[in-house]
Amino acid sequence: EGREDLQVNQLETQIWIKPDIQKTDVDFSEILNAIQEIAKDVNIFFDELEGVNSPSKDDDSLLHHGNLTSTSDDASRLEVVGEEVPDKNKTNGLYFRDGKCRIDYILVYRKSNPQTEKREVFERNIRAEGLQMEKESSLTNSDIIFVKLHAPWEVLGKYAELMNVRMPFRRKIYYLHRRYKFMNRIEKQISRFRGWLPRKPMKLDKETLPDLEENDCYTAPFSQQRIHHFIIHNKDTFFNNATRSRIVHHILQRVKYEEGKNKIGLNRLLSNGSYEAAFPLHEGSYRSKNSIKTHGAENHRHLLYECWASWGVWYKYQPLDLVRRYFGEKIGLYFAWLGWYTGMLFPAAFIGLFVFLYGVTTLNHCQVSKEVCQATDIIMCPICDKYCPFMRLSDSCIYAKVTHLFDNGATVFFAVFMAVWATVFLEFWKRRRAVIAYDWDLIDWEEEEEEIRPQFEAKYSKKERMNPISGKPEPYQAFADKCSRLIVSASGIFFMICVVIAAVFGIVIYRVVTVSTFAAFKWALIRNNSQVATTGTAVCINFCIIMLLNVLYEKVALFLTNLEQPRTESEWENSFTLKMFLFQFVNLNSSTFYIAFFLGRFTGHPGAYLRLINRWRLEECHPSGCLIDLCMQMGIIMVLKQTWNNFMELGYPLIQNWWTRRKLRQEYGTQGKTSFPQWEKDYNLQPMNAYGLFDEYLEMILQFGFTTIFVAAFPLAPLLALLNNIIEIRLDAYKFVTQWRRPLASRAKDIGIWYGILEGIGILSVITNAFVIAVTSDFIPRLVYAYKYGPCAGQGEAGQKCMVGYVNASLSVFLVSDFENRSEPTSNGSEFSGSPLKYCRYRDYRDPPHSPVPYGYTLQFWHVLAARLAFIIVFEHLVFCIKHLISYLIPDLPKDLRDRMRREKYLIQEMMYEAELERLQKERKERKKNGKSYHNEWP
């Protein structure tokens, strides 16, 4: 019936045996005999199942040639393959010259480099550790030398035990449910019905790609003393390539290159230029002349390209187990998180699209838009000094309709939904991460004691103290020195934030100046849409400033982080990550915050405008509100930034690699490149980013901020993020598989500091969305009018009929003769009524000019202000309560996973005991055969 129908729990045997025991009086010995017979049948069944359907996951010979649907080979075929492989290995660039020793790591240096003595000592100590070495000169540059390293079985076993590498030692035992004939018939009918339906298109074809099957084995830390417990079909392939490279890298990090206490490690030799590069090899070409479905995958890299990095599989799930197997757990966790984030965007994008479509369908029924479009007799005051003319309110009809698409009755619901969605996303990611950590044997894994950074060691080598963990002396940084450096670093961060504010201030001045310039423009299209033209050009200029400042921020963050002198690499990475995120977040969102919360809020009123440096009049919102400016800002920035990032992520490596291939073709012809060994091909690829996965995470975290922080103003943000991420996954996959050197497989339990940043963004999004709804949108003023001042006042209704007269009630009256001299428009408005205008209208709640207190705030203004403050408080408390309730109700560890972990722990102990007991019994029998017996033996 398939492995899905099998259960691990063997205790289910008792569930259907006990009723039979109760019904009949059977001798206990007969019951034991019956159980033994059942156990024999089960063992026979699963021995056959494992022999036929469970290929060894550590046997790479399945990947070379032949149809991969057949996974069992007889001994004669294995002998033939064993004879053919060495001849093939001599030419594929993955083995030593003898074709037997697999290359586990590559070091690259130049003969002209003066650090010869350090390299010689380092390489001598490498041989002393048991690693085998072979050198090759580059085919393109005789000055470049490749050092090929191979770890024999003895070295791998020794360090695998020291590093606690978990390896498979026993296949998982499943138990088949007992089914009645009636249930079997029903299941057969259901399976026939399923056969008529199309297969799930998003799942990968495991029959064609058997390497995507799960490894159904229990794992335990490798031990040479208990090596007989582990499943070893072939010692050469027992440790996969990623594990072998990780073990070799572990050795290289602890080999001395000079006499001294801390003159050790490959990283120090790379930093001082002794070696130019160090990397593990890709497993061959990612392309093949033959189809993967008919001839199988040539290697794991080819398999990843076909089922993960190819654009033809964009709609399928990611093969995360294969990604983890090839690139390691750290990169696998990044793609697992990215895939989870993309999947969670589907409901958010659907609801956001629904809100937008709701605005489209209710557009013709919106009373406010109707009144704006029909208000041909309402003349609005100019929005800038002198050159801006008077305008009819009906001229902003299009903007009023567009505003309704984003600012409608469903906006508040969507803001609450997105706040809850962010919490659900993070809570369920915890559960997903726990499942991945269990499947990848990361539950009990703890990071090793990290090495001290060479820079820290060089700076503080004179001061030492005992390490409380290792008990060895190490460099020590005084508390006063650390505090002074942190203060200087914090001052630098504050200064760079001030630079961002200065850039935003420059954009504000540009908007204030150009709105008058565009109003006096010769082209009627720009003159009539001066405010939209100002906003559009300001956003584009702001985007260019953002991209330029990002380059500056990276250098400043690097300088400040090095100034702090972090002790370890993880401390350095966390400090640098926090600075870069803070810089880029403020840089990207500062203008958006200005438009959302400051634009048009502090302009004064006609006749008493507030001015910048007593010269420039502050910019006002459009007669239809400021939300349209915020939508334009978010839409343009989001689309441009995502497009630019995707181009730079793939474009730069593609251009660099294309230029390298072009030079090689010019020197060696078209056939020369294909004849290069694998280490030469990989050396010509681009190295992975110096900051690892930092850029990939940062891009997605900033996008998450855009998706949640101002989503109430732009409901289509999740949809744009979803479309971008679908492309992003394949772009990153293509880049890792084809354009970059193979990164070192490293382990990690989670996504690190980024999870805390995501939680902070989730909290900030609740606050910003509350302010966007209360302050930026017209939701609260409309609600106050409907319940207090409209036709339905006091009736408890708030429909469209209750909004009649809202536009007129939201506009105040201004006497044209009260204009300041520098604000008085050049035209007198006679083109509207044939005579000079006496009054114009503007957006505000103020008294008319002939009241006892001219242009003072009305009672409606204070009602709206109180309602806005009340909404912010109620919205935040309500959403935060929902978030905390959801966090409390959703456990971090799924119940079935907790039960599986307990069950597996129990079974592993039983299996280890049984295996040890079996070994002792065999030894006892051998002693008896040899005539040796000892008293007081156990067992």
Side-chain angles (χ1 to χ4, degrees):
E1 297 294 333
R3 285 184 179 264
E4 291 81 359
D5 298 330
L6 306 177
Q7 297 294 327
V8 176
N9 196 344
Q10 297 174 346
L11 296 177
E12 293 184 3
T13 308
Q14 302 173 6
I15 295 175
W16 55 271
I17 290 179
K18 284 184 179 179
D20 297 334
I21 296 174
Q22 294 173 358
K23 290 180 182 178
T24 59
D25 295 331
V26 184
D27 186 27
F28 186 73
S29 60
E30 295 179 4
I31 296 175
L32 289 178
N33 293 333
I35 294 176
Q36 290 175 359
E37 291 298 327
I38 294 171
K40 289 180 181 179
D41 295 339
V42 172
N43 289 333
I44 293 171
F45 173 78
F46 286 107
D47 288 341
E48 294 175 354
L49 185 65
E50 289 177 2
V52 176
N53 297 328
S54 300
S56 173
K57 305 308 269 185
D58 51 53
D59 191 356
D60 291 345
S61 63
L62 296 177
L63 292 173
H64 291 307
H65 46 267
N67 190 352
L68 294 186
T69 56
S70 176
T71 59
S72 60
D73 294 325
D74 55 9
S76 60
R77 180 178 174 183
L78 289 176
E79 292 177 0
V80 173
V81 173
E83 294 176 358
E84 293 177 353
V85 166
D87 295 333
K88 183 180 179 181
N89 292 344
K90 292 180 181 180
T91 59
N92 63 7
L94 298 176
Y95 290 81
F96 278 15
R97 296 189 191 98
D98 59 3
K100 297 180 180 179
C101 298
R102 174 179 287 274
I103 300 173
D104 297 321
Y105 213 80
I106 291 290
L107 302 177
V108 186
Y109 70 89
R110 293 181 180 271
K111 290 191 292 185
S112 58
N113 189 287
Q115 306 281 354
T116 305
E117 184 178 352
K118 292 181 180 179
R119 283 197 305 271
E120 289 178 352
V121 175
F122 186 71
E123 292 171 4
R124 192 183 312 124
N125 291 331
I126 288 176
R127 293 190 184 94
E129 289 290 338
L131 296 180
Q132 298 178 9
M133 185 184 302
E134 193 174 81
K135 293 187 178 182
E136 291 277 354
S137 179
S138 173
L139 299 178
T140 59
N141 188 346
S142 59
D143 189 40
I144 297 176
I145 302 298
F146 295 96
V147 181
K148 300 177 287 185
L149 301 178
H150 168 74
W153 168 257
E154 295 76 15
V155 176
L156 291 173
K158 172 186 174 182
Y159 280 94
E161 185 172 359
L162 292 175
M163 296 168 63
N164 290 322
V165 177
R166 299 182 70 91
M167 301 302 293
F169 77 96
R170 182 71 66 87
R171 293 201 175 277
K172 293 182 180 179
I173 301 175
Y174 297 92
Y175 192 81
L176 190 63
H177 280 293
R178 184 184 183 187
R179 293 182 175 86
Y180 297 97
K181 294 182 179 180
F182 177 73
M183 295 300 297
N184 283 334
R185 291 174 183 174
I186 293 178
E187 289 184 359
K188 287 181 181 179
Q189 295 297 329
I190 293 175
S191 61
R192 288 179 183 177
F193 176 73
R194 287 178 179 175
W196 300 337
L197 299 177
R199 293 183 178 180
K200 295 180 180 180
M202 298 177 69
K203 287 192 175 181
L204 294 163
D205 188 0
K206 293 186 178 182
E207 294 181 358
T208 308
L209 307 174
D211 264 27
L212 301 182
E213 293 181 0
E214 295 180 359
N215 192 359
D216 297 326
C217 292
Y218 296 118
T219 60
F222 183 77
S223 173
Q224 289 183 316
Q225 292 181 350
R226 298 182 176 180
I227 195 171
H228 52 279
H229 294 167
F230 294 89
I231 304 173
I232 304 178
H233 297 284
N234 187 344
K235 287 186 176 182
D236 294 334
T237 57
F238 177 63
F239 296 103
N240 61 39
N241 294 335
T243 304
R244 296 173 67 99
S245 300
R246 186 156 58 89
I247 292 174
V248 172
H249 182 79
H250 177 87
I251 297 172
L252 296 179
Q253 290 296 91
R254 286 154 180 79
V255 172
K256 282 192 174 186
Y257 61 86
E258 201 172 78
E259 291 300 326
K261 287 185 293 185
N262 296 303
K263 304 295 184 180
I264 62 174
L266 176 62
N267 285 346
R268 289 177 171 86
L269 291 175
L270 290 172
S271 61
N272 63 26
S274 298
Y275 287 100
E276 188 172 299
F279 52 89
L281 284 180
H282 279 295
E283 298 181 5
S285 175
Y286 62 90
R287 294 184 183 276
S288 176
K289 298 179 181 179
N290 303 317
S291 172
I292 191 173
K293 293 184 177 181
T294 57
H295 292 75
E298 296 288 336
N299 49 67
H300 286 141
R301 189 187 185 193
H302 180 214
L303 188 62
L304 277 172
Y305 178 78
E306 292 290 340
C307 69
W308 183 48
S310 176
W311 290 105
V313 293
W314 65 269
Y315 58 92
K316 291 184 178 293
Y317 293 125
Q318 299 182 86
L320 294 177
D321 290 332
L322 190 58
V323 175
R324 171 244 185 174
R325 182 176 179 179
Y326 194 82
F327 291 110
E329 286 80 2
K330 193 170 186 179
I331 294 176
L333 272 173
Y334 163 71
F335 281 103
W337 176 84
L338 181 58
W340 183 257
Y341 171 46
T342 304
M344 289 293 291
L345 278 173
F346 274 96
F350 176 77
I351 299 297
L353 183 61
F354 171 78
V355 171
F356 179 78
L357 295 178
Y358 174 80
V360 173
T361 55
T362 59
L363 184 60
N364 295 328
H365 305 287
C366 179
Q367 181 64 30
V368 176
S369 300
K370 287 181 181 179
E371 290 186 1
V372 171
C373 295
Q374 296 171 2
T376 55
D377 56 338
I378 297 179
I379 309 301
M380 302 298 294
C381 298
I383 59 176
C384 66
D385 293 336
K386 291 186 177 181
Y387 299 106
C388 291
F390 295 98
M391 59 180 295
R392 286 189 175 92
L393 181 59
S394 58
D395 293 342
S396 61
C397 176
I398 296 177
Y399 304 113
K401 291 182 177 181
V402 173
T403 301
H404 177 74
L405 299 180
F406 302 101
D407 184 14
N408 51 63
T411 303
V412 178
F413 159 75
F414 186 59
V416 175
F417 170 80
M418 286 303 297
V420 174
W421 172 86
T423 302
V424 172
F425 161 65
L426 294 176
E427 291 300 321
F428 275 95
W429 164 246
K430 287 183 185 178
R431 296 166 61 87
R432 174 62 176 160
R433 187 206 65 80
V435 174
I436 292 175
Y438 171 78
D439 291 338
W440 292 356
D441 292 324
L442 299 173
I443 294 293
D444 299 325
W445 178 79
E446 295 293 339
E447 292 187 21
E448 301 174 356
E449 178 67 16
E450 287 191 86
E451 295 180 358
I452 298 175
R453 297 178 66 244
Q455 296 85 347
F456 182 89
E457 179 187 338
K459 180 72 176 176
Y460 301 103
S461 58
K462 296 180 181 179
K463 297 181 182 180
E464 291 185 346
R465 74 170 183 178
M466 298 296 292
N467 188 312
I469 298 175
S470 63
K472 298 178 181 179
E474 66 177 17
Y476 169 68
Q477 183 182 15
F479 179 76
D481 181 74
K482 186 175 183 178
C483 287
S484 62
R485 291 178 177 275
L486 288 176
I487 291 172
V488 174
S489 178
S491 302
I493 295 173
F494 178 75
F495 173 76
M496 293 308 299
I497 292 177
C498 292
V499 172
V500 177
I501 297 174
V504 174
F505 186 75
I507 295 295
V508 171
I509 294 177
Y510 168 82
R511 295 172 68 107
V512 169
V513 172
T514 53
V515 68
S516 300
T517 305
F518 285 140
F521 212 74
K522 295 181 179 180
W523 294 350
L525 179 63
I526 296 179
R527 186 171 63 249
N528 296 334
N529 300 278
S530 59
Q531 200 163 17
V532 177
T534 300
T535 302
T537 55
V539 171
C540 294
I541 293 173
N542 184 35
F543 174 75
C544 296
I545 293 175
I546 287 172
M547 302 311 295
L548 290 175
L549 287 179
N550 282 345
V551 179
L552 175 64
Y553 290 156
E554 184 175 342
K555 296 181 179 179
V556 172
L558 190 62
F559 172 77
L560 293 178
T561 306
N562 290 331
L563 182 67
E564 293 178 6
Q565 290 291 351
R567 179 177 171 274
T568 62
E569 287 296 335
S570 63
E571 292 178 6
W572 187 96
E573 184 179 342
N574 290 339
S575 178
F576 178 76
T577 297
L578 191 60
K579 289 181 181 62
M580 279 297 294
F581 169 75
L582 186 61
F583 287 159
Q584 295 219 18
F585 180 81
V586 174
N587 187 28
L588 190 64
N589 293 284
S590 54
S591 296
T592 311
F593 271 90
Y594 164 74
I595 293 175
F597 305 127
F598 297 98
L599 178 62
R601 302 284 177 264
F602 310 101
T603 58
H605 63 86
Y609 287 116
L610 298 179
R611 297 183 178 273
L612 200 61
I613 321 179
N614 199 26
R615 179 177 179 182
W616 293 298
R617 171 181 161 186
L618 291 176
E619 188 181 6
E620 291 186 36
C621 291
H622 197 272
S624 298
C626 296
L627 200 66
I628 187 67
D629 296 318
L630 184 58
C631 291
M632 289 182 61
Q633 173 82 10
M634 291 191 62
I636 294 176
I637 291 293
M638 196 170 184
V639 171
L640 288 180
K641 184 165 179 56
Q642 290 182 348
T643 304
W644 174 262
N645 286 340
N646 289 336
F647 172 76
M648 289 302 297
E649 277 190 14
L650 190 61
Y652 180 76
L654 277 174
I655 293 173
Q656 292 289 325
N657 293 332
W658 170 81
W659 184 256
T660 302
R661 290 194 301 269
R662 181 175 178 273
K663 291 193 297 184
L664 293 176
R665 280 197 301 269
Q666 290 177 351
E667 295 180 9
Y668 299 95
T670 56
Q671 299 297 327
K673 180 70 168 61
T674 57
S675 61
F676 288 158
Q678 189 63 42
W679 56 81
E680 191 95 34
K681 295 177 182 178
D682 287 4
Y683 178 70
N684 292 327
L685 296 176
Q686 296 300 305
M688 188 179 176
N689 193 309
Y691 309 128
L693 293 168
F694 170 78
D695 287 338
E696 280 71 23
Y697 272 119
L698 180 63
E699 179 186 354
M700 290 295 102
I701 299 299
L702 292 175
Q703 184 206 83
F704 179 79
F706 254 96
T707 306
T708 55
I709 292 178
F710 293 103
V711 74
F714 192 59
L716 294 179
L719 179 62
L720 295 179
L722 174 63
L723 297 177
N724 173 79
N725 286 7
I726 292 174
I727 300 174
E728 180 76 22
I729 290 175
R730 303 306 161 181
L731 278 181
D732 286 347
Y734 184 82
K735 179 174 60 180
F736 271 93
V737 174
T738 67
Q739 302 301 312
W740 279 0
R741 295 174 190 163
R742 185 177 183 177
L744 180 70
S746 56
R747 294 170 71 83
K749 294 183 68 171
D750 50 33
I751 61 176
I753 194 176
W754 296 108
Y755 185 83
I757 293 175
L758 286 171
E759 286 187 324
I761 292 176
I763 295 172
L764 180 62
S765 66
V766 177
I767 301 172
T768 53
N769 282 303
F771 275 90
V772 166
I773 296 172
V775 178
T776 310
S777 72
D778 287 340
F779 175 77
I780 298 300
R782 293 177 185 178
L783 209 61
V784 171
Y785 178 80
Y787 284 102
K788 183 68 177 177
Y789 297 96
C792 306
Q795 300 178 13
E797 298 181 9
Q800 291 297 326
K801 63 179 182 178
C802 301
M803 300 303 299
V804 176
Y806 167 76
V807 173
N808 186 61
S810 64
L811 299 176
S812 300
V813 180
F814 178 73
L815 187 63
V816 175
S817 60
D818 291 341
F819 267 123
E820 299 173 303
N821 291 331
R822 52 182 174 179
S823 299
E824 189 173 358
T826 54
S827 63
N828 57 8
S830 58
E831 64 271 16
F832 296 104
S833 60
S835 59
L837 285 175
K838 292 183 179 181
Y839 301 98
C840 64
R841 310 293 292 273
Y842 62 98
R843 283 175 56 92
D844 210 341
Y845 297 101
R846 293 183 180 270
D847 293 323
H850 302 296
S851 62
V853 183
Y855 307 117
Y857 287 116
T858 63
L859 184 61
Q860 188 175 356
F861 169 81
W862 299 109
H863 285 163
V864 171
L865 180 61
R868 282 173 168 166
L869 295 176
F871 175 83
I872 291 172
I873 295 173
V874 172
F875 181 88
E876 289 181 356
H877 283 70
L878 176 64
V879 175
F880 278 131
C881 287
I882 295 174
K883 286 169 68 71
H884 288 300
L885 180 62
I886 291 175
S887 301
Y888 175 77
L889 293 177
I890 300 177
D892 295 344
L893 202 64
K895 184 180 182 302
D896 60 338
L897 177 60
R898 190 183 297 110
D899 294 340
R900 285 165 58 194
M901 291 170 60
R902 292 174 180 173
R903 176 65 179 168
E904 180 170 325
K905 186 176 181 180
Y906 168 76
L907 289 177
I908 288 175
Q909 292 175 351
E910 290 292 318
M911 291 174 184
M912 297 293 285
Y913 171 76
E914 291 174 2
E916 192 69 20
L917 187 63
E918 183 180 351
R919 184 181 66 85
L920 292 174
Q921 288 176 346
K922 287 182 179 179
E923 291 179 358
R924 183 182 178 185
K925 291 179 180 178
E926 290 178 359
R927 291 195 194 102
K928 287 183 178 181
K929 288 181 180 179
N930 297 330
K932 297 179 180 180
S933 60
Y934 300 95
H935 296 288
N936 300 324
E937 283 191 60
W938 186 87

